[in-house]
């Protein structure tokens, strides 16, 4: 249900679009979209508002070719055999998965100008990837949801709670993403599902005043997993490292990348290498992205040889610059897995019809894609909405 209210102020008229819904979801990453799918399948009316101009949050894949759909991952890449929820969701959404390429030798880049060492036989745990990049998961989820219920470019800036339920102000942001033209500016909802990183939630005006005692401090203390990470990806016409008997895995004491892997978009196409950058976010921020980009490419040449010098294309993704994901504390602290136990607050939260989902909220596998799905499973299991 949608209504337009005309506010008359001195000489100006402001039109506010207000929408009523049963459930409002804040955040359109994996957790928010998976929660939306549960509501959609249960026939429960909802709206989902996402601050950024795209859905997916920390999930982001870059096309390797115009006709290849999604491609190499700039955010999450792997899930592991024990993570059954990810495997079930991929199968439910009809997505193909493949195993991370690890066959071949591993390289070690030593410090002090010593030669790169080659060690036999592929190493590392068996891990899975989504064909075409992890963003295929987001595209498949969005395709199953009613587009009229999803809005991006629509940030939540204020939340209040009263007898009538939740009243949420959206749209006017301090960041540079314009709100979509059809997006509501005020939403009134019976239930609120918070699906953004806890530290970002705590920046929403009014929210901490609505929360039970002790919870604001617990949310503020919860780190956002990988939020201060940066990745470099180089896409090549051929997997020259595989042809040389290398796995694409390399570990470095030189940097800027500390760990490099094969990042091809499928088992045998969209060939790419990626590395996690070891330069701390606080230091990276003081340099232009171009300097780091060049240093990463030079490092690939030092480790893998001259053919690494000419990728078709390369990307540097610095997550510490993503204003809707990272918080100052995430930049300042050493990376830590989130551990947040909401159980003490659940009775009060349920009375208020307030729910938390997201990777940082997960009771197990916190920080991972699997954790994001686990938190949605708990939401479904414990919320009166699905009773
Ligand atoms: C570089 C990198 C590598 C990773 N590698 C792996 C991996 O290999 N395997 C793995 O399992 N996990 C990995 N992760 C972690 C994984 O990405 C996360 O666990 C998962 O994507 C979190 O999903 P989420 O929906 O909980 O949160 P998010 O993806 O952070 O989604 C939250 C959404 O809320 C939105 N939002 C924030 N504030 C507001 C607001 N005020 N109003 C509206 N919307 C708002 C944000 O824009 C965002 O879209 C990696 C992460 C990164 C960054």
């Amino acid at each position: 249900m949608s209504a337009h209210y005309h506010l008359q102020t001195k000489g100006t008229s402001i039109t506010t679009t207000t929408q009523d819904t049963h459930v409002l979801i804040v955040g359109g990453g994996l957790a928010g979209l998976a929660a939306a799918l549960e509501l959609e399948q249960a026939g429960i009316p909802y709206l989902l508002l996402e601050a950024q101009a795209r859905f997916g949050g920390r999930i982001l894949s870059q096309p390797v070719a115009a006709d290849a759909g999604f491609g190499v991952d700039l955010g999450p890449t792997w899930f592991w055999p024990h993570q059954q929820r990810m495997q079930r969701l991929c199968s439910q959404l009809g997505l193909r998965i493949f195993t991370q390429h690890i066959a071949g030798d591993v390289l070690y880049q030593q410090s002090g100008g010593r030669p790169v060492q080659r060690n036999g036989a592929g190493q590392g745990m068996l891990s899975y990837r989504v064909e075409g990049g992890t963003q295929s998961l987001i595209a498949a989820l969005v395709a199953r949801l009613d587009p009229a219920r999803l809005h991006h470019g629509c940030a939540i800036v204020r939340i209040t709670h009263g007898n009538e339920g939740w009243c949420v102000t959206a749209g006017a942001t301090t960041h540079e993403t314009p709100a979509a033209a059809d997006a509501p500016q005020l939403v009134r909802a019976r239930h609120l599902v918070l699906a953004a990183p806890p530290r970002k939630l705590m920046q929403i005006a009014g929210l901490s005043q609505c929360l039970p005692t002790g919870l604001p401090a617990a949310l503020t203390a919860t780190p956002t997993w990988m939020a201060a990470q940066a990745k470099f990806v180089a896409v090549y016409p051929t997997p020259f490292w595989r042809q040389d008997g290398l796995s694409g895995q390399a570990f470095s004491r030189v940097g800027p990348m500390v760990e490099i892997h094969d990042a091809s978009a499928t088992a045998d196409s969209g060939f790419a290498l990626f590395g996690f950058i070891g330069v701390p976010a606080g230091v990276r921020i003081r340099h232009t992205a171009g300097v780091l980009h060049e240093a990463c490419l030079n490092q690939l040449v030092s480790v893998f040889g001259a053919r690494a010098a000419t990728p078709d294309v390369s990307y540097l993704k610095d997550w510490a610059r993503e204003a809707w994901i990272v918080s100052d504390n995430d930049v300042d602290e050493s990376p830590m897995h989130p551990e947040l136990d909401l159980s003490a607050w659940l009775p009060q939260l349920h009375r208020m019809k307030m729910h938390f989902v997201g990777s940082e909220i997960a009771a197990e596998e916190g920080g991972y894609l699997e954790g994001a799905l686990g938190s949605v499973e708990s939401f479904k299991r414990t919320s009166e909405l699905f009773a």
Side-chain angles (χ1 to χ4, degrees):
M1 193 196 301
S2 168
H4 296 277
Y5 292 90
H6 295 274
L7 303 178
Q8 197 71 43
T9 60
K10 262 193 180 168
T12 53
S13 168
I14 304 164
T15 305
T16 305
T17 309
T18 299
Q19 216 164 327
D20 290 335
T21 185
H22 196 55
V23 185
L24 174 67
I25 304 173
V26 179
L30 178 61
L33 292 169
L37 184 62
E38 294 294 351
L39 293 166
E40 182 112 9
Q41 287 174 341
I44 301 166
Y46 71 91
L47 268 185
L48 181 150
L49 304 188
E50 160 57 44
Q52 297 188 57
R54 60 171 185 86
F55 297 112
R58 274 168 274 180
I59 295 176
L60 177 63
S61 312
Q62 187 74 39
V64 282
D67 59 347
F70 295 111
V72 291
D73 288 315
L74 304 182
T77 306
W78 300 302
F79 56 103
W80 291 271
H82 70 283
Q83 297 184 325
Q84 297 290 319
R85 295 179 186 96
M86 275 294 290
Q87 290 170 61
R88 273 200 304 274
L89 183 63
C90 289
S91 149
Q92 184 192 341
L93 297 175
L95 297 173
R96 295 222 299 240
I97 62 174
F98 65 104
T99 52
Q100 167 71 30
H101 179 85
I102 51 169
D105 291 352
V106 178
L107 300 177
Y108 290 90
Q109 188 182 27
Q110 309 179 84
S111 55
R114 285 175 292 164
V116 171
Q117 237 181 37
R118 181 170 177 148
N119 283 24
Q123 293 180 1
M125 272 171 78
L126 171 68
S127 62
Y128 298 131
R129 302 195 26 217
V130 183
E131 207 166 273
T134 314
Q135 201 168 325
S136 306
L137 201 56
I138 296 299
L141 280 170
V142 168
R144 278 162 180 75
L145 300 173
D146 176 356
R149 298 186 183 282
L150 307 180
H151 294 281
H152 52 58
C154 194
I156 302 304
V157 291
R158 172 172 291 280
I159 293 180
T160 57
H161 184 243
N163 293 339
E164 297 298 303
W166 296 98
C167 185
V168 168
T169 312
T173 84
T174 50
H175 306 297
E176 282 165 4
T177 311
D182 61 344
Q185 290 149 322
L186 268 184
V187 179
R188 293 181 301 215
R190 295 304 297 173
H191 290 259
L192 186 63
V193 178
L194 297 164
R199 284 178 170 168
K200 297 315 292 179
L201 292 173
M202 292 315 297
Q203 292 173 5
I204 298 175
L207 182 64
S208 57
Q209 290 88 317
C210 302
L211 295 174
T213 312
L215 186 51
L219 293 172
T220 305
T222 302
T224 315
W225 181 236
M226 303 293 271
Q229 275 290 342
K231 267 174 104 165
F232 181 77
V233 186
V235 178
Y236 294 98
T238 57
F240 56 84
W241 57 95
R242 294 187 191 178
Q243 292 154 3
D244 292 345
L246 295 172
S247 62
Q249 271 183 301
F251 297 90
S252 173
R253 296 182 69 96
V254 179
M257 292 179 285
V258 286
E259 203 182 306
I260 299 168
H261 300 271
D262 186 303
S264 305
T266 71
D268 52 14
S269 66
F271 301 111
L273 291 169
F274 95 85
F276 286 114
I277 293 171
V279 181
V283 177
R284 290 198 310 266
I285 236 95
R286 295 200 294 273
H287 293 89
T288 63
V291 171
L292 195 52
H293 197 117
E294 200 184 327
C296 289
L297 203 51
N298 290 341
Q299 186 187 4
L300 286 181
V301 175
S302 317
V303 175
F304 290 99
R307 280 171 297 174
T310 48
D312 288 340
V313 61
S314 52
Y315 306 97
L316 175 69
K317 177 67 186 172
D318 194 335
W319 287 91
R321 294 176 194 267
E322 285 287 332
W324 292 107
I325 304 290
V326 78
S327 302
D328 289 348
N329 289 357
D330 296 317
V331 171
D332 296 339
E333 294 167 0
S334 311
M336 278 181 301
H337 268 284
E339 280 189 22
L340 175 61
D341 181 2
L342 284 181
S343 51
W345 293 288
L346 279 183
Q348 255 176 296
L349 293 173
H350 282 156
R351 275 198 296 280
M352 295 167 72
K353 305 192 189 317
M354 179 184 232
H355 317 270
F356 286 85
V357 296
S359 182
E360 278 65 36
I361 301 300
E364 40 183 69
E365 307 284 331
Y368 294 111
L369 300 165
E370 179 78 0
L373 297 180
S375 73
V376 174
E377 205 175 276
S378 307
F379 162 57
K380 191 178 170 196
R381 200 178 49 245
T382 60
S383 161
E384 65 173 69
L385 277 162
F386 299 92

